[in-house]
Amino acid sequence: MAERDAGFSIVELLVSLLILGMLILMILTGLGTGRRVWERMDQSALSIETIEGAQTLLRDRIERTYGATRFDSAAPYADFRGLANRINFLAPPPEVSRPQALRRYDLSLDGNGNLLLSSWSDVAADPDRPAITSVVVLRGVQAMDIAYFGVAAPDLTPRWRPTWDHQPAPPRLVRVRLAFAPGDRREWPDMIVKPAAEDASLGVEQRS
């Protein structure tokens, strides 16, 4: 009996090693799971920051829309052209670039899924070949849908419209919706912006 109590049998040793191995496996699995959870949280936080940054940039530009009036057609109209997948408008340059002339901005989606905000001086030396600056606002965008709220011809009813062109003033509101590819976890909340220049009389320019 004394010899039995002096040590462990081979079976007891194997059982102990098996239990120890299971504990180590559980710890390693837990660490791996925790790492993946943290990675997903980091990616989610980064995605949210990216979306917020993109919306802040676009909101700042669209809010500063300058309602210049054009006279190159039979009826004067605001220098703002909005399509379902593109906007073209005038706005002051960013704070860091002032004082400078107004810039023409163009928001569009290219064939590679890049949401682009391009701009160039509205008083460029060569209007046909301006120096264009393009910023990739967001990557991996599958589709963009833009709508415009306001009163416009021919029905003169305040409602959301898929286009806004050759109207007396810019729209009261602009809504930008983005869609991502299936499996892309990013979410783009509807961005609704109120352009500051609702009245075309804010700026009157003769343009040829």
Side-chain angles (χ1 to χ4, degrees):
M1 184 68 177
E3 294 179 357
R4 174 65 181 84
D5 295 336
F8 297 96
S9 68
I10 294 178
V11 174
E12 290 172 333
L13 184 59
L14 291 176
V15 171
S16 300
L17 291 174
L18 178 61
I19 294 174
L20 181 61
M22 293 177 63
L23 289 174
I24 293 175
L25 180 61
M26 292 173 63
I27 292 173
L28 293 177
T29 301
L31 291 174
T33 301
R35 184 179 66 254
R36 289 192 294 272
V37 170
W38 279 110
E39 289 175 350
R40 285 197 296 269
M41 291 177 63
D42 288 343
Q43 292 175 356
S44 177
L46 180 60
S47 297
I48 292 174
E49 291 178 0
T50 302
I51 296 296
E52 289 179 348
Q55 291 205 351
T56 298
L57 172 62
L58 297 181
R59 186 180 300 278
D60 177 75
R61 298 294 88 209
I62 298 174
E63 280 182 348
R64 298 176 184 272
T65 295
Y66 188 81
T69 301
R70 299 190 61 153
F71 296 93
D72 53 3
S73 67
Y77 62 95
D79 195 343
F80 182 103
R81 185 167 187 258
L83 305 177
N85 59 356
R86 195 177 201 121
I87 314 177
N88 188 282
F89 60 97
L90 286 174
E95 295 287 349
V96 295
S97 301
R98 296 177 189 173
Q100 286 188 6
L102 291 173
R103 294 187 69 82
R104 183 168 299 280
Y105 289 88
D106 186 87
L107 178 66
S108 63
L109 186 64
D110 71 10
N112 296 320
N114 296 318
L115 183 63
L116 297 178
L117 181 63
S118 302
S119 69
W120 56 95
S121 173
D122 194 48
V123 291
D126 185 355
D128 296 326
R129 301 180 62 182
I132 300 176
T133 300
S134 295
V135 176
V136 178
V137 180
L138 205 60
R139 300 182 187 277
V141 180
Q142 187 177 55
M144 176 169 63
D145 179 67
I146 310 173
Y148 311 89
F149 183 86
V151 176
D155 57 297
L156 300 179
T157 301
R159 62 180 177 85
W160 287 104
R161 303 169 187 274
T163 61
W164 193 277
D165 193 19
H166 280 71
Q167 298 298 331
R172 294 182 182 177
L173 299 173
V174 177
R175 184 184 66 207
V176 180
R177 288 176 174 171
L178 298 183
F180 302 103
D184 192 325
R185 295 178 177 272
R186 291 178 297 174
E187 295 184 3
W188 175 276
D190 277 3
M191 188 185 77
I192 299 179
V193 186
K194 177 181 174 62
E198 294 182 9
D199 188 349
S201 64
L202 289 176
V204 177
E205 300 181 11
Q206 177 72 39
R207 298 175 185 274
S208 57

